Coordinates of all heavy atoms in Angstrom, one line a residue:
T23 N -48.3 -87.6 -70.9 CA -47.1 -87.7 -70.1 C -46.0 -87.2 -71.0 O -45.9 -87.2 -72.2 CB -46.9 -89.1 -69.7 OG1 -46.5 -89.9 -70.9 CG2 -48.1 -89.7 -69.0
G24 N -44.9 -86.6 -70.2 CA -43.7 -86.2 -70.8 C -44.0 -85.0 -71.8 O -43.5 -85.0 -73.0
A25 N -44.8 -84.0 -71.3 CA -45.3 -82.9 -72.3 C -44.5 -81.7 -72.1 O -44.8 -80.7 -72.8 CB -46.7 -82.7 -72.0
S26 N -43.3 -81.7 -71.4 CA -42.6 -80.4 -71.2 C -41.8 -80.2 -72.5 O -41.5 -79.0 -72.7 CB -41.7 -80.6 -70.1 OG -41.0 -81.8 -70.1
R27 N -41.4 -81.2 -73.2 CA -40.6 -81.0 -74.4 C -41.0 -81.9 -75.6 O -41.8 -82.8 -75.4 CB -39.1 -81.3 -74.0 CG -38.5 -80.4 -73.0 CD -37.0 -80.7 -72.6 NE -36.9 -81.9 -71.9 CZ -36.2 -83.1 -72.4 NH1 -35.8 -83.0 -73.7 NH2 -36.2 -84.2 -71.7
G28 N -40.4 -81.6 -76.7 CA -40.5 -82.5 -77.9 C -41.9 -82.9 -78.3 O -42.7 -82.0 -78.4
I29 N -42.0 -84.2 -78.6 CA -43.3 -84.7 -79.2 C -44.4 -84.5 -78.2 O -45.6 -84.0 -78.6 CB -43.1 -86.2 -79.5 CG1 -42.1 -86.4 -80.6 CG2 -44.4 -86.8 -79.8 CD1 -41.7 -87.8 -81.0
G30 N -44.2 -84.7 -76.9 CA -45.3 -84.6 -76.0 C -45.8 -83.1 -75.9 O -47.0 -82.9 -75.7
R31 N -44.9 -82.2 -76.0 CA -45.2 -80.8 -75.9 C -46.1 -80.4 -77.1 O -47.2 -79.7 -77.0 CB -44.0 -80.0 -75.9 CG -44.2 -78.5 -75.6 CD -42.8 -77.7 -75.7 NE -42.9 -76.3 -75.4 CZ -42.8 -75.8 -74.3 NH1 -42.6 -76.5 -73.2 NH2 -42.9 -74.5 -74.0
N47 N -48.0 -83.5 -68.1 CA -47.1 -84.0 -67.2 C -45.7 -83.7 -67.5 O -45.3 -83.7 -68.7 CB -47.3 -85.5 -67.1 CG -46.0 -86.2 -66.6 OD1 -45.4 -86.9 -67.3 ND2 -45.8 -86.1 -65.3
Y48 N -44.9 -83.4 -66.5 CA -43.4 -83.2 -66.7 C -42.6 -83.8 -65.5 O -43.3 -84.1 -64.5 CB -43.1 -81.7 -66.9 CG -43.3 -80.9 -65.5 CD1 -42.1 -80.6 -64.8 CD2 -44.5 -80.5 -65.1 CE1 -42.3 -79.9 -63.5 CE2 -44.7 -79.8 -63.9 CZ -43.6 -79.5 -63.1 OH -43.7 -78.9 -62.0
N49 N -41.4 -83.9 -65.7 CA -40.6 -84.5 -64.5 C -39.5 -83.5 -64.2 O -39.6 -82.8 -63.2 CB -40.1 -85.9 -64.8 CG -39.4 -86.5 -63.6 OD1 -39.8 -86.1 -62.5 ND2 -38.4 -87.3 -63.9
K50 N -38.5 -83.3 -65.1 CA -37.3 -82.4 -64.8 C -37.5 -81.1 -65.3 O -36.9 -80.1 -64.8 CB -36.1 -83.1 -65.2 CG -35.8 -84.4 -64.5 CD -34.5 -85.0 -64.9 CE -34.2 -86.3 -64.3 NZ -33.4 -87.3 -65.1
S51 N -38.2 -80.9 -66.4 CA -38.2 -79.7 -67.1 C -39.3 -78.7 -66.7 O -40.2 -78.4 -67.4 CB -38.2 -79.8 -68.6 OG -37.2 -80.7 -69.0
E52 N -39.1 -78.1 -65.4 CA -40.2 -77.4 -64.9 C -40.4 -76.0 -65.7 O -41.5 -75.6 -65.9 CB -39.9 -77.1 -63.4 CG -40.9 -76.2 -62.7 CD -41.2 -76.6 -61.3 OE1 -40.3 -77.2 -60.7 OE2 -42.2 -76.1 -60.8
E54 N -39.8 -75.2 -68.7 CA -40.5 -75.5 -70.1 C -42.0 -75.7 -69.8 O -42.8 -75.2 -70.6 CB -39.8 -76.6 -70.8 CG -38.5 -76.3 -71.4 CD -37.3 -76.6 -70.4 OE1 -37.6 -76.7 -69.3 OE2 -36.2 -76.5 -70.9
A55 N -42.2 -76.5 -68.8 CA -43.7 -76.9 -68.4 C -44.4 -75.6 -68.1 O -45.6 -75.4 -68.5 CB -43.8 -77.8 -67.3
F68 N -48.4 -80.8 -64.3 CA -48.3 -81.6 -63.1 C -47.0 -82.3 -63.1 O -46.7 -83.2 -64.0 CB -49.5 -82.6 -63.0 CG -49.5 -83.2 -61.5 CD1 -50.4 -82.6 -60.6 CD2 -48.8 -84.3 -61.1 CE1 -50.4 -83.0 -59.3 CE2 -48.9 -84.9 -59.9 CZ -49.7 -84.2 -58.9
K69 N -46.2 -82.2 -62.1 CA -44.9 -82.8 -62.0 C -45.1 -84.3 -61.4 O -45.7 -84.5 -60.4 CB -44.0 -82.1 -61.1 CG -42.6 -82.8 -60.8 CD -41.8 -81.8 -59.9 CE -40.5 -82.6 -59.3 NZ -39.6 -83.2 -60.4
A70 N -44.6 -85.2 -62.2 CA -44.7 -86.6 -61.7 C -43.6 -87.4 -62.6 O -43.5 -87.3 -63.8 CB -46.0 -87.3 -62.0
D71 N -42.9 -88.3 -61.8 CA -42.0 -89.2 -62.4 C -42.9 -90.5 -62.7 O -43.2 -91.2 -61.8 CB -40.8 -89.6 -61.5 CG -39.9 -90.6 -62.1 OD1 -40.3 -91.3 -63.1 OD2 -38.8 -90.8 -61.6
V72 N -43.1 -90.7 -64.0 CA -44.1 -91.7 -64.5 C -43.5 -93.1 -64.2 O -44.3 -94.1 -64.5 CB -44.7 -91.5 -65.9 CG1 -45.5 -90.3 -66.0 CG2 -43.6 -91.5 -66.9
S73 N -42.4 -93.3 -63.9 CA -41.8 -94.6 -63.5 C -42.1 -94.9 -62.0 O -41.6 -96.0 -61.6 CB -40.3 -94.7 -63.9 OG -39.6 -93.9 -63.0
K74 N -42.8 -94.0 -61.4 CA -43.0 -94.2 -59.9 C -44.5 -94.3 -59.6 O -45.2 -93.4 -59.9 CB -42.3 -93.2 -59.1 CG -40.8 -93.0 -59.3 CD -40.1 -92.6 -58.1 CE -38.6 -93.0 -58.1 NZ -37.9 -92.1 -59.0
D77 N -46.1 -91.3 -57.7 CA -46.2 -90.1 -58.6 C -47.4 -90.2 -59.4 O -48.1 -89.3 -59.7 CB -44.9 -89.9 -59.3 CG -43.8 -89.2 -58.4 OD1 -43.8 -89.5 -57.3 OD2 -42.9 -88.6 -59.1
N97 N -49.6 -91.8 -73.6 CA -48.3 -92.2 -72.9 C -47.2 -91.9 -73.8 O -46.8 -92.7 -74.7 CB -48.5 -93.8 -72.6 CG -49.4 -94.1 -71.4 OD1 -49.3 -93.6 -70.4 ND2 -50.4 -95.0 -71.7
N98 N -46.6 -90.8 -73.6 CA -45.6 -90.3 -74.4 C -44.1 -90.3 -73.8 O -43.2 -90.5 -74.4 CB -45.9 -88.9 -74.9 CG -44.7 -88.2 -75.5 OD1 -44.3 -88.4 -76.6 ND2 -44.0 -87.3 -74.6
A99 N -44.1 -90.1 -72.4 CA -42.8 -90.0 -71.7 C -41.9 -91.0 -72.1 O -42.2 -92.3 -72.1 CB -43.0 -89.9 -70.2
G100 N -40.7 -90.7 -72.4 CA -39.6 -91.8 -72.7 C -38.2 -91.3 -72.7 O -37.9 -90.0 -72.8
I101 N -37.3 -92.2 -72.5 CA -35.9 -91.8 -72.6 C -35.1 -92.9 -73.5 O -35.7 -94.0 -73.8 CB -35.2 -91.9 -71.2 CG1 -35.4 -93.3 -70.5 CG2 -35.6 -90.8 -70.3 CD1 -34.6 -93.6 -69.3
D102 N -34.1 -92.4 -74.0 CA -33.2 -93.2 -74.9 C -32.0 -93.8 -74.1 O -31.7 -93.2 -73.0 CB -32.8 -92.3 -76.0 CG -32.3 -93.0 -77.2 OD1 -32.4 -94.2 -77.2 OD2 -31.9 -92.4 -78.2
N117 N -33.7 -98.6 -65.9 CA -34.1 -97.2 -66.0 C -34.9 -97.0 -67.3 O -36.0 -96.4 -67.3 CB -32.8 -96.3 -66.1 CG -33.0 -94.9 -65.8 OD1 -34.1 -94.6 -65.3 ND2 -32.1 -94.1 -66.3
N120 N -38.3 -99.1 -66.9 CA -39.3 -98.5 -66.0 C -39.8 -97.2 -66.5 O -41.0 -96.9 -66.4 CB -38.6 -98.2 -64.6 CG -38.3 -99.4 -63.9 OD1 -38.9 -100.4 -64.1 ND2 -37.4 -99.4 -62.8
T121 N -39.0 -96.4 -67.2 CA -39.5 -95.1 -67.7 C -40.3 -95.3 -69.0 O -41.4 -94.7 -69.1 CB -38.2 -94.2 -68.1 OG1 -37.4 -94.1 -66.9 CG2 -38.8 -92.8 -68.5
N122 N -39.9 -96.2 -69.8 CA -40.7 -96.4 -71.1 C -41.9 -97.4 -71.1 O -42.8 -97.1 -71.7 CB -39.7 -96.8 -72.2 CG -38.7 -95.7 -72.5 OD1 -38.7 -94.7 -71.8 ND2 -37.8 -96.0 -73.5
S125 N -44.1 -97.4 -67.1 CA -44.8 -96.2 -67.0 C -46.2 -96.3 -67.8 O -47.2 -95.9 -67.3 CB -44.1 -95.0 -67.5 OG -43.9 -95.2 -69.0
I148 N -47.0 -93.9 -77.3 CA -45.9 -93.5 -78.3 C -44.8 -94.6 -78.3 O -44.1 -94.7 -77.3 CB -45.4 -92.1 -78.0 CG1 -46.6 -91.1 -78.0 CG2 -44.4 -91.7 -79.1 CD1 -47.4 -91.0 -79.2
S149 N -44.8 -95.3 -79.3 CA -43.8 -96.4 -79.5 C -42.6 -95.9 -80.3 O -42.2 -94.8 -80.1 CB -44.6 -97.5 -80.2 OG -43.7 -98.6 -80.5
S150 N -42.1 -96.8 -81.2 CA -41.0 -96.3 -82.0 C -40.8 -97.2 -83.2 O -41.2 -98.4 -83.2 CB -39.7 -96.4 -81.2 OG -38.6 -96.2 -82.1
I151 N -40.2 -96.7 -84.3 CA -40.0 -97.5 -85.5 C -39.0 -98.6 -85.1 O -39.0 -99.7 -85.6 CB -39.3 -96.5 -86.6 CG1 -39.0 -97.3 -87.8 CG2 -38.0 -95.9 -86.1 CD1 -38.6 -96.5 -89.0
Y152 N -38.3 -98.4 -84.0 CA -37.3 -99.5 -83.6 C -38.1 -100.7 -83.1 O -37.5 -101.8 -83.3 CB -36.4 -99.0 -82.5 CG -35.2 -98.2 -82.9 CD1 -35.2 -97.6 -84.2 CD2 -34.1 -97.9 -82.1 CE1 -34.0 -96.9 -84.7 CE2 -33.0 -97.2 -82.5 CZ -33.0 -96.7 -83.8 OH -32.0 -96.0 -84.2
Y163 N -34.0 -99.9 -75.3 CA -35.0 -99.1 -75.8 C -35.9 -99.8 -76.7 O -37.2 -99.7 -76.5 CB -34.4 -97.9 -76.6 CG -35.2 -96.9 -77.2 CD1 -35.8 -95.9 -76.5 CD2 -35.6 -96.9 -78.6 CE1 -36.6 -94.9 -76.9 CE2 -36.4 -96.0 -79.1 CZ -37.0 -95.0 -78.3 OH -37.8 -94.1 -78.9
S166 N -38.3 -102.1 -74.7 CA -39.3 -101.3 -74.1 C -40.5 -100.9 -75.0 O -41.6 -101.0 -74.7 CB -38.7 -100.0 -73.4 OG -38.4 -99.0 -74.4
K167 N -40.0 -100.5 -76.3 CA -41.1 -100.1 -77.2 C -41.8 -101.3 -77.8 O -43.1 -101.2 -78.1 CB -40.4 -99.3 -78.4 CG -39.8 -98.0 -77.8 CD -40.8 -97.1 -77.3 CE -40.3 -95.7 -76.8 NZ -41.3 -94.8 -76.4
I170 N -44.4 -102.0 -75.4 CA -45.5 -101.1 -75.5 C -46.5 -101.5 -76.5 O -47.8 -101.6 -76.3 CB -45.1 -99.7 -75.8 CG1 -44.4 -99.0 -74.6 CG2 -46.2 -98.8 -76.3 CD1 -43.7 -97.7 -74.9
I191 N -48.5 -95.2 -81.7 CA -47.9 -94.5 -82.8 C -46.5 -94.8 -82.8 O -45.8 -94.5 -81.7 CB -48.2 -92.9 -82.8 CG1 -49.7 -92.6 -82.8 CG2 -47.4 -92.2 -83.8 CD1 -50.0 -91.1 -82.5
A192 N -45.9 -95.2 -83.9 CA -44.5 -95.5 -84.0 C -43.8 -94.5 -84.8 O -43.7 -94.6 -86.1 CB -44.3 -96.9 -84.5
P193 N -43.2 -93.4 -84.2 CA -42.5 -92.4 -85.0 C -41.2 -92.9 -85.5 O -40.5 -93.8 -85.0 CB -42.2 -91.3 -84.0 CG -43.0 -91.6 -82.7 CD -43.2 -93.1 -82.8
G194 N -40.8 -92.3 -86.6 CA -39.5 -92.5 -87.2 C -38.5 -91.5 -86.5 O -38.7 -91.2 -85.3
C195 N -37.6 -90.9 -87.3 CA -36.7 -89.9 -86.7 C -37.4 -88.6 -86.6 O -37.8 -88.0 -87.7 CB -35.4 -89.9 -87.5 SG -34.2 -88.8 -86.7
I196 N -37.5 -88.0 -85.5 CA -38.2 -86.8 -85.2 C -37.2 -85.8 -84.6 O -36.5 -86.2 -83.7 CB -39.4 -87.0 -84.3 CG1 -40.3 -88.1 -84.8 CG2 -40.3 -85.7 -84.1 CD1 -41.1 -87.9 -86.1
D197 N -37.3 -84.5 -85.1 CA -36.4 -83.5 -84.6 C -36.7 -83.0 -83.2 O -37.5 -82.2 -83.0 CB -36.4 -82.4 -85.6 CG -35.4 -81.3 -85.2 OD1 -34.6 -81.5 -84.4 OD2 -35.6 -80.1 -85.7
T198 N -36.1 -83.8 -82.2 CA -36.3 -83.3 -80.8 C -34.9 -83.5 -80.1 O -34.0 -84.0 -80.6 CB -37.3 -84.3 -80.1 OG1 -36.7 -85.6 -80.0 CG2 -38.7 -84.4 -80.8
D199 N -35.0 -83.1 -78.8 CA -33.7 -83.3 -78.0 C -33.2 -84.7 -78.0 O -32.0 -84.9 -77.8 CB -34.0 -82.9 -76.6 CG -34.4 -81.3 -76.4 OD1 -34.0 -80.6 -77.3 OD2 -34.8 -81.0 -75.3
M200 N -34.1 -85.7 -78.1 CA -33.7 -87.1 -78.0 C -32.7 -87.4 -79.1 O -31.9 -88.3 -78.9 CB -34.9 -88.0 -78.1 CG -34.6 -89.4 -77.8 SD -36.1 -90.5 -77.7 CE -36.5 -90.2 -76.1
N201 N -32.7 -86.7 -80.2 CA -31.8 -87.0 -81.3 C -30.6 -85.9 -81.4 O -30.0 -86.0 -82.5 CB -32.6 -87.0 -82.6 CG -33.5 -88.3 -82.8 OD1 -33.0 -89.3 -82.2 ND2 -34.6 -88.2 -83.2
L204 N -27.2 -87.0 -82.7 CA -26.9 -87.4 -84.0 C -26.1 -86.4 -84.8 O -26.5 -85.2 -84.7 CB -28.2 -87.7 -84.9 CG -29.0 -89.0 -84.3 CD1 -30.4 -89.0 -85.0 CD2 -28.3 -90.2 -84.6
I221 N -36.4 -85.4 -92.1 CA -36.6 -85.8 -90.7 C -38.0 -85.3 -90.2 O -38.4 -84.2 -90.7 CB -35.6 -85.0 -89.8 CG1 -34.1 -85.5 -90.4 CG2 -35.7 -85.3 -88.3 CD1 -33.8 -86.9 -90.2
G222 N -38.7 -86.0 -89.4 CA -40.0 -85.5 -89.0 C -40.0 -84.4 -88.0 O -39.0 -84.2 -87.3
P224 N -42.2 -82.8 -84.5 CA -43.1 -83.2 -83.4 C -44.5 -83.1 -83.9 O -45.4 -83.9 -83.5 CB -42.7 -82.4 -82.2 CG -41.3 -82.0 -82.4 CD -41.1 -81.9 -84.0
I227 N -46.4 -86.1 -85.6 CA -47.0 -87.0 -84.6 C -48.3 -86.4 -83.9 O -49.3 -87.2 -83.7 CB -45.9 -87.4 -83.5 CG1 -44.6 -87.8 -84.2 CG2 -46.5 -88.4 -82.6 CD1 -44.7 -88.9 -85.1
W251 N -39.6 -94.6 -93.9 CA -38.3 -95.1 -93.5 C -38.5 -96.6 -93.3 O -37.5 -97.4 -93.5 CB -37.9 -94.4 -92.2 CG -36.3 -94.6 -91.9 CD1 -35.4 -95.1 -92.7 CD2 -35.8 -94.5 -90.6 NE1 -34.2 -95.2 -92.0 CE2 -34.4 -94.8 -90.7 CE3 -36.2 -94.0 -89.3 CZ2 -33.5 -94.7 -89.6 CZ3 -35.4 -93.8 -88.3 CH2 -34.1 -94.2 -88.4
Ligands
NAP12 P1 -37.5 -85.6 -75.6 O1 -37.5 -84.4 -76.4 O2 -36.3 -86.1 -75.0 O3 -38.7 -85.4 -74.4 C1 -38.9 -86.5 -73.6 C2 -40.0 -86.1 -72.6 O4 -40.3 -87.2 -71.8 C3 -39.7 -84.9 -71.8 O5 -40.8 -84.1 -71.6 C4 -39.4 -85.5 -70.4 O6 -39.8 -84.6 -69.3 C5 -40.3 -86.7 -70.4 N1 -39.8 -87.7 -69.4 C6 -38.7 -88.5 -69.5 N2 -38.7 -89.3 -68.4 C7 -39.7 -89.0 -67.7 C8 -40.3 -89.5 -66.4 N3 -39.7 -90.4 -65.7 N4 -41.5 -89.0 -66.0 C9 -42.1 -88.0 -66.7 N5 -41.7 -87.5 -67.9 C10 -40.5 -88.0 -68.3 O7 -38.0 -86.9 -76.4 P2 -39.0 -87.0 -77.6 O8 -38.3 -87.2 -78.9 O9 -40.1 -85.9 -77.6 O10 -39.7 -88.3 -77.3 C11 -41.1 -88.5 -76.9 C12 -41.5 -90.0 -77.1 O11 -41.4 -90.3 -78.4 C13 -40.7 -91.0 -76.3 O12 -41.4 -92.0 -75.9 C14 -39.7 -91.5 -77.4 O13 -39.1 -92.8 -77.1 C15 -40.6 -91.5 -78.6 N6 -40.0 -91.5 -80.0 C16 -39.2 -90.4 -80.3 C17 -38.5 -90.4 -81.5 C18 -37.6 -89.3 -82.0 O14 -37.0 -89.5 -83.1 N7 -37.5 -88.2 -81.3 C19 -38.7 -91.6 -82.3 C20 -39.5 -92.6 -81.9 C21 -40.1 -92.6 -80.7 P3 -38.8 -83.8 -68.4 O15 -37.7 -83.2 -69.3 O16 -39.7 -82.9 -67.7 O17 -38.1 -84.8 -67.4

Side-chain angles (χ1 to χ4, degrees):
T23 69
S26 49
R27 296 182 290 113
I29 293 170
R31 188 182 183 91
N47 156 250
Y48 69 99
N49 187 28
K50 294 181 181 155
S51 303
E52 178 145 22
E54 288 83 350
F68 194 90
K69 177 176 163 60
D71 178 344
V72 291
S73 69
K74 300 210 162 76
D77 280 26
N97 285 309
N98 164 79
I101 55 168
D102 201 0
N117 198 16
N120 287 345
T121 306
N122 294 3
S125 66
I148 305 300
S149 174
S150 167
I151 187 173
Y152 278 16
Y163 180 81
S166 73
K167 295 299 186 178
I170 287 176
I191 298 176
C195 187
I196 308 294
D197 182 16
T198 69
D199 293 345
M200 192 172 271
N201 288 323
L204 292 173
I221 303 299
I227 307 305
W251 193 19

